[in-house]
Amino acid sequence: MTGTLPIHRRVQALLAAGVLVALVLMLNACGSAGGRPPQSESDQTVTPWSSATPTPTQQPSATATPDIWPTFAPPSKPASTEIPPAAPRLELDEDVKIWLLLGTEAEKPYVSRTDAIHLLLINERLSKASVISIPGSLFVYLPGHTMQRLNTAYALGGMELVRDTLAYNFGIRLDKFVLAHPTGFKWLVDDLGGLDVSVLFPIRDACGGLPAGTYRMNGDKVYCYVSYLGGDEVNRTRRQQQVLQLLFTKLVQNGRLARLPVLYASYQDHLETDISLLDLLFRVPLALRLGDPDRVSYFVLGWERLRQWELPDNTQTVVLLPREEEVALVFEQALAAIREPSPLGEIVLTYEAQVTVAVALTQTAQATVYVPVWPTSTPIGQPTASITQPGQPTATRTPTQPGQPTATRTTTPTRTTTPTATRSEPYPIPTAVFYTPTPTPPAYP
């Protein structure tokens, strides 16, 4: 089972996306000329009521508007360990955006823990990115609640609490987020044709058993691979990051980004996000550049950055406490990796060419209607061409191509006439199927 739409829905989605982009561009072009005309210098002059010298009014500067930072609520109940002070706000360049990728263990509309937590720090001007993967059992302060595991923030207070929690403990503010449910994740893996995953540490008691080696995995197998805990959450976080990298690499290959409108329409009921289709379409060139593996750096809050701690209760629950200085160092390294420009690799040119061809083929498919070619009767004056319709027992099945008057082929023909735009996966509209019916031999009396 895949999550893609039927053919007619796919075409509609692509056409709708194109129209929507055109409308937005038109609106942007008209926006500068519309609305209230700019005031002249004389309009801005205020005539005083008296001849007294008016008190000069300070004009606001372009940077007078403060950048709002959340106010953190105090704890609602005693904490099991000391609450650390709020982390200092991380200084970001203007072109750096922070996206959050979450994976939950429950299907929509149910709310549960988010055991996959990955931060994307993206420098859109330099086309570079860093990924910071965080274990879900990291024990942090949830503003307005108490010290708790990070993966419970969404279940306790939704995305608002997640944003406040990340701001308090890491000094960051999110720009965009995506929360995936199990079904949507599995569909995406299957729609991409599966993933070739290198298993470094064997899994013996789950996922059907996975010894060390490389395996082609479908959606169910990949989901088991990234969900399996095995007593080592840091190792699970590394597996999640590994699969995240494989998914993104396969998505930018072979022109698959041409399918973004179809994928977005197909999965929007199985994702929670504040990223619009236009946001994604405008960032297709950025995604192609990030397909160069040298432009993306990966970091994990691992054992060298964390320490285990058992909760002081009867549950014997072990959580991970952050070493604040070590965690801050990871964020500094992640930011440093995206601040330095670097030349584009040749692989980016390949990706750009592939997506250009994919878009061209998609446009050709939308403009051309393919109809299967069936055998037709022989033109008048050609008695040697004995072509009959399916179901006639006396047919010799020697079809001719339209416009060829001397069709006397008696061998089983192979249809070599194919559409001009031959499309194979991953293009959203499948190639038309041409086939020759198999004759039914006459029954014995």
Side-chain angles (χ1 to χ4, degrees):
M1 178 179 181
T2 61
T4 53
L5 299 174
I7 294 175
H8 68 282
R9 290 284 302 279
R10 299 177 184 184
V11 176
Q12 293 174 358
L14 288 173
L15 292 175
V19 172
L20 194 57
V21 171
L23 289 175
V24 170
L25 294 177
M26 292 172 61
L27 290 174
N28 289 339
C30 298
S32 60
R36 185 172 182 265
Q39 293 179 332
S40 63
E41 184 176 355
S42 60
D43 293 338
Q44 298 176 359
T45 303
V46 179
T47 303
W49 288 99
S50 63
S51 59
T53 303
T55 303
T57 303
Q58 183 178 1
Q59 298 294 330
S61 62
T63 58
T65 303
D67 192 0
I68 301 176
W69 189 249
T71 301
F72 304 111
S76 59
K77 57 183 178 180
S80 55
T81 185
E82 181 182 0
I83 297 177
R89 184 173 181 179
L90 201 62
E91 295 296 332
L92 301 178
D93 298 335
E94 183 180 356
D95 299 313
V96 174
K97 306 299 180 183
I98 299 181
W99 290 21
L100 174 65
L101 304 182
L102 296 174
T104 181
E105 59 187 10
E107 298 290 354
K108 195 176 180 180
Y110 300 103
V111 178
S112 66
R113 299 179 304 178
T114 54
D115 287 329
I117 305 171
H118 305 275
L119 290 169
L120 275 64
L121 283 62
I122 307 173
N123 190 322
E124 297 186 339
R125 180 174 61 88
L126 299 179
S127 298
K128 302 188 75 174
S130 290
V131 180
I132 302 177
S133 300
I134 307 174
S137 63
L138 189 68
F139 209 61
V140 295
Y141 175 59
L142 276 56
H145 294 263
T146 185
M147 293 291 292
Q148 186 56 272
R149 283 166 290 188
L150 180 59
N151 59 11
T152 64
Y154 181 77
L156 293 175
M159 279 306 303
E160 182 178 357
L161 182 57
V162 172
R163 292 177 186 274
D164 289 347
T165 300
L166 294 176
Y168 184 94
N169 294 278
F170 303 116
I172 60 175
R173 185 178 61 182
L174 299 180
D175 294 291
K176 300 291 183 180
F177 81 93
V178 177
L179 187 145
H181 297 270
T183 295
F185 176 81
K186 296 175 184 178
W187 280 358
L188 179 59
V189 174
D190 289 336
D191 283 345
L192 295 179
L195 296 178
D196 294 325
V197 182
S198 296
V199 178
L200 301 179
F201 300 96
I203 298 177
R204 296 183 177 88
D205 55 348
C207 308
L210 287 173
T214 302
Y215 301 91
R216 170 61 62 91
M217 299 185 184
N218 61 9
D220 290 328
K221 183 76 75 172
V222 172
Y223 180 75
C224 179
Y225 180 73
V226 299
S227 303
Y228 174 71
L229 182 58
D232 189 341
E233 188 167 6
V234 171
N235 190 24
R236 178 175 68 174
T237 303
R238 295 185 187 276
R239 293 198 305 271
Q240 293 173 358
Q241 189 180 91
Q242 174 194 12
V243 168
L244 183 65
Q245 182 178 7
L246 292 173
L247 278 173
F248 180 76
T249 300
K250 196 159 189 179
L251 185 62
V252 299
Q253 290 176 341
N254 299 326
R256 292 185 176 92
L257 287 178
R259 301 177 58 190
L260 271 181
V262 173
L263 294 174
Y264 190 92
S266 181
Y267 298 144
Q268 61 182 352
D269 293 335
H270 300 274
L271 293 174
E272 298 178 38
T273 181
D274 58 354
I275 303 175
S276 67
L277 177 58
L278 286 179
D279 288 334
L280 296 177
L281 292 176
F282 288 150
R283 289 176 171 84
V284 166
L286 172 64
L288 294 175
R289 295 184 180 97
L290 294 180
D292 182 352
D294 293 334
R295 308 188 72 81
V296 183
S297 303
Y298 293 88
F299 303 86
V300 176
L301 295 188
W303 295 117
E304 67 279 9
R305 317 291 183 187
L306 313 170
R307 59 186 177 92
Q308 289 185 322
W309 185 65
E310 184 176 322
L311 295 180
D313 52 24
N314 297 327
T315 61
Q316 297 182 340
T317 301
V318 176
V319 296
L320 300 174
L321 288 177
R323 304 179 189 270
E324 286 81 5
E325 295 182 358
E326 294 292 332
V327 171
L329 180 61
V330 170
F331 278 85
E332 291 178 5
Q333 294 172 348
L335 284 175
I338 64 176
R339 283 174 175 159
E340 295 297 328
S342 59
L344 292 176
E346 294 183 359
I347 189 65
V348 177
L349 300 178
T350 300
Y351 292 156
E352 291 176 349
Q354 290 174 344
V355 77
T356 301
V357 172
V359 171
L361 290 176
T362 302
Q363 293 174 345
T364 303
Q366 293 174 356
T368 307
V369 178
Y370 298 112
V371 179
V373 178
W374 292 90
T376 58
S377 58
T378 305
I380 298 175
Q382 300 295 331
T384 58
S386 55
I387 301 175
T388 59
Q389 300 296 328
Q392 296 181 356
T394 59
T396 59
R397 299 296 176 186
T398 56
T400 61
Q401 299 291 337
Q404 296 180 355
T406 58
T408 57
R409 293 179 295 178
T410 57
T411 58
T412 303
T414 300
R415 293 288 179 182
T416 59
T417 302
T418 57
T420 302
T422 302
R423 300 170 308 282
S424 59
E425 203 278 331
Y427 307 121
I429 305 175
T431 305
V433 177
F434 296 84
Y435 64 94
T436 302
T438 305
T440 302
Y444 290 98

